[in-house]
Amino acid sequence: MTPSPEPAHDRVPLAPFWRQWSDRAVARAPAGWTGLIDELRDLQDAAAASAPPAETVARATALLADARRLLAAHTVADDEQLYGKLLRLPGRGQTLSPPLRLLSWTATEIVGEVTFGRFHSGSNDAVHGGAVALLFDEALGRLSDLDDRPPSRTVSLRVEFRSLTPVGRPLTVRARLLGQDGRKRRLAGVLRDGERLCAEADGLFLALRPGQR
Ligand SMILES: CCCCCCCCCCCCCC(=O)SCCNC(=O)CCNC(=O)[C@H](O)C(C)(C)COP(=O)(O)OP(=O)(O)OC[C@H]1O[C@@H](n2cnc3c(N)ncnc32)[C@H](O)[C@@H]1OP(=O)(O)O
């Protein structure tokens, strides 16, 4: 695989399994779907950062309940859902973890940028440790399944928190494939704020057998 010359998340090569998975969701996504996901992400951050008066709480709760009822009327099975399946978008169309914008990639290394919002804050404007682990699972998982490798699943993920991970600043995440032994893939990741090391991780991913879900 040729290293990418310039940032362009939507050109990240997808293995056939993931290309089909993502293209199927893209084909079914209605106009405006990504705007809904962006709004939901902003809503999470706005709710986490606010201390509103009671009348604002009541109004926002009613609006949210309206939105929930609208969406719940169109509930589908997991196979049919769109959420999280738009692999060519930073954040792949989900709001569980912050959008990971891939800046460069090879078959064995990806570099990306991520900014955690207030939604992922633990305390003191520092990102919750579980959210850092979530980001590493995303980044290492992306790399594990890059370059036509069969889909895999995380079997173990160890995170070392080296310094506080700040909210609201662009951070760099780097993931490397250290080696493969049969179905087992060993990966490592680092998260930095500029030069400062915030956290590092190592993970074991196991390729699924054909037909394994
Ligand atoms: C560009 C690409 C885009 C992709 C986008 C994707 C979305 C974005 C990314 C999102 C990413 C999110 C990703 C997620 O969050 S995935 C969700 C979190 N992970 C899980 O839920 C996994 C749950 N576990 C399982 O399903 C099964 O255990 C699996 C299927 C993984 C293996 O069950 P299976 O029955 O198939 O295998 P086996 O038990 O015979 O084991 C086989 C070998 O492995 C060794 N072993 C097993 N466990 C461990 C362990 N803990 N440490 C060390 N070694 C371990 C074992 O000893 C054996 O070795 P050997 O005896 O052969 O030497």
Side-chain angles (χ1 to χ4, degrees):
M1 203 162 81
T2 321
S4 59
E6 58 191 14
H9 186 99
D10 59 0
R11 288 192 292 101
V12 177
L14 297 177
F17 174 87
W18 290 118
R19 192 179 321 125
Q20 197 183 16
W21 196 70
S22 179
D23 288 352
R24 193 165 162 265
V26 169
R28 297 180 51 254
W33 174 259
T34 57
L36 174 74
I37 297 297
D38 289 344
E39 192 57 52
L40 185 55
R41 186 176 292 117
D42 291 348
L43 173 70
Q44 292 179 161
D45 283 332
S50 72
E55 59 271 27
T56 304
V57 171
R59 178 143 184 262
T61 304
L63 288 169
L64 288 174
D66 268 356
R68 173 185 45 81
R69 277 189 287 270
L70 276 172
L71 295 172
H74 300 275
T75 300
V76 292
D78 181 84
D79 274 359
E80 300 297 314
Q81 85 175 36
L82 305 170
Y83 182 90
K85 294 186 174 175
L86 308 180
L87 293 178
R88 294 195 188 278
L89 288 183
R92 64 183 174 89
Q94 52 80 48
T95 65
L96 180 64
S97 59
L100 173 63
R101 184 178 301 278
L102 294 187
L103 302 175
S104 68
W105 55 87
T106 67
T108 56
E109 182 173 84
I110 58 173
V111 179
E113 188 183 81
V114 68
T115 302
F116 288 92
R118 292 283 287 275
F119 177 69
H120 290 105
S121 173
S123 61
N124 295 328
D125 273 337
V127 177
H128 192 292
V132 172
L134 178 62
L135 171 72
F136 277 126
D137 200 17
E138 282 283 319
L140 271 50
R142 284 296 303 224
L143 177 59
S144 175
D145 290 4
L146 210 65
D147 194 35
D148 285 6
R149 287 184 280 269
S152 63
R153 208 170 279 165
T154 323
V155 290
S156 82
L157 182 66
R158 188 176 62 91
V159 180
E160 303 274 348
F161 302 98
R162 299 295 186 189
S163 65
L164 290 184
T165 299
V167 166
R169 288 166 58 84
L171 310 172
T172 307
V173 60
R174 184 181 295 267
R176 283 182 305 133
L177 177 67
L178 302 178
Q180 294 188 75
D181 174 16
R183 294 167 59 204
K184 296 179 200 170
R185 301 173 193 157
R186 280 192 312 113
L187 295 102
V190 289
L191 179 68
R192 288 183 187 277
D193 175 18
E195 290 298 304
R196 186 168 55 84
L197 179 63
C198 298
E200 50 193 341
D202 55 75
L204 179 68
F205 287 68
L206 202 60
L208 297 180
R209 292 186 295 259
Q212 193 176 20
R213 281 176 64 100

